[in-house]
Amino acid sequence: GENVEQHPSTLSVQEGDSAVIKCTYSDSASNYFPWYKQELGKRPQLIIDIRSNVGEKKDQRIAVTLNKTAKHFSLHITETQPEDSAVYFCAASMEGNNRLAFGKGNQVVVIP
Amino acid sequence: DTAVSQTPKYLVTQMGNDKSIKCEQNLGHDTMYWYKQDSKKFLKIMFSYNNKELIINETVPNRFSPKSPDKAHLNLHINSLELGDSAVYFCASSQGGVREKLFFGSGTQLSVL
C-alpha cells in the first residue's frame, strides 16, 4: 500500500518567518494530497489539498506544491503566526481506493 | 450545530471491561470512519462505512466491532479492553470518500488502567 513520510518531524520557526514541510509518497498512482492541521487537544482539520492535475495551490498564507516526478509535495506557510503552531499531517490517496494514507505528522512551533 | 459529534469525550476504564463510543454526523454524508491516534500522534484508519455498509476493515483485533444503524451514526464497541487500546479515537465523515474533506469529531480519549 501507499507509504507517506514527512520531514522534519519537528520544526521551530520565528514568528513572521516561513515554514516548509515536505512529504514523500511511494505509489505513483496516488493523485490526491491533503494537508490536515491539528492544534493541541483539538481535532484534525483540512487546511488545503491538491490533486495531481495541478502543481501548486494557494490559500492566503498557505500553499502546497506537488512534484509528481519526484513523488513529493510540500506545505508552505508564510508570515507564520503563533496560531500556526500545531501538528500538520500530509496524506495521499489514489483514484478508486478509499484509503487515505497519513504521514506521521510534523510538529510546527512558532516562536513569538 | 456540531457537524460530527462523538461521546464520551473521556473514557477511563479497567482492563477487561467492554465500552462503547458513539458518533453522529448531521452533514448528510454517506461515508463515516473511525481513526485511532496513538501517543505518537499517528492517525491510523480502523474502519470505514458507506451508507451503513462496511467498506474498510483494517487489521484491527476483532474485539473492536463497529455498528452503523443508519448512515448518520457509526458506533464503536470494544470488548475486553487492553492497555494497548489506550489512545484517542476519532470519528470522521465525508461526502464521497477520502478524496473529499474529512470532518473529524472532537475525539474520545480512552485510558485503560
Side-chain angles (χ1 to χ4, degrees):
Chain A
E2 175 63 272
N3 183 40
V4 176
E5 295 193 1
Q6 297 186 230
H7 305 278
S9 59
T10 304
L11 178 64
S12 295
V13 295
Q14 287 293 137
E15 183 177 355
D17 287 350
S18 295
V20 182
I21 308 168
K22 181 177 172 179
C23 276
T24 58
Y25 59 99
S26 60
D27 197 325
S28 57
S30 288
N31 57 7
Y32 173 66
F33 308 96
W35 283 92
Y36 283 81
K37 174 185 179 183
Q38 186 178 25
E39 296 175 30
L40 186 62
K42 301 283 182 66
R43 71 195 76 193
Q45 291 188 296
L46 179 72
I47 54 171
I48 196 166
D49 59 7
I50 191 168
R51 298 178 197 268
S52 62
N53 57 340
V54 296
E56 184 176 4
K57 185 175 178 181
K58 286 183 181 179
D59 183 1
Q60 299 180 3
R61 294 188 298 109
I62 60 172
V64 55
T65 56
L66 172 64
N67 183 327
K68 289 186 289 184
T69 305
K71 290 190 284 187
H72 67 71
F73 57 110
S74 299
L75 179 71
H76 304 254
I77 309 172
T78 58
E79 300 172 27
T80 52
Q81 299 169 6
E83 54 264 37
D84 296 327
S85 295
V87 177
Y88 291 83
F89 294 93
C90 62
S93 175
M94 63 189 77
E95 197 77 50
N97 185 335
N98 203 33
R99 281 173 171 77
L100 188 63
F102 278 96
K104 292 188 176 182
N106 293 96
Q107 175 74 60
V108 173
V109 178
V110 179
I111 304 165
Chain B
D1 60 344
T2 305
V4 182
S5 58
Q6 54 182 108
T7 55
K9 189 166 176 62
Y10 300 98
L11 192 49
V12 181
T13 188
Q14 299 286 332
M15 261 195 323
N17 284 350
D18 303 338
K19 290 293 177 186
S20 292
I21 308 172
K22 295 186 175 181
C23 180
E24 176 182 3
Q25 53 97 2
N26 63 6
L27 298 166
H29 288 166
D30 289 334
T31 312
M32 295 185 73
Y33 314 82
W34 278 109
Y35 280 87
K36 178 181 180 180
Q37 187 171 46
D38 61 23
S39 57
K40 295 184 179 178
K41 301 296 185 185
F42 186 42
L43 270 171
K44 187 174 163 71
I45 182 70
M46 300 175 69
F47 302 103
S48 173
Y49 271 72
N50 185 271
N51 269 319
K52 302 191 297 175
E53 291 202 15
L54 180 67
I55 54 172
I56 291 177
N57 183 350
E58 290 296 288
T59 313
V60 178
N62 58 16
R63 297 182 295 104
F64 290 78
S65 53
K67 282 191 173 52
S68 183
D70 54 62
K71 77 171 195 176
H73 295 84
L74 180 61
N75 304 322
L76 183 65
H77 188 75
I78 316 169
N79 289 328
S80 304
L81 278 155
E82 299 177 358
L83 294 176
D85 297 332
S86 296
V88 179
Y89 292 84
F90 284 100
C91 176
S93 74
S94 69
Q95 184 61 31
V98 295
R99 298 168 64 78
E100 303 298 328
K101 179 179 177 180
L102 295 182
F103 289 78
F104 284 87
S106 57
T108 296
Q109 172 79 62
L110 172 64
S111 299
V112 183
L113 307 177

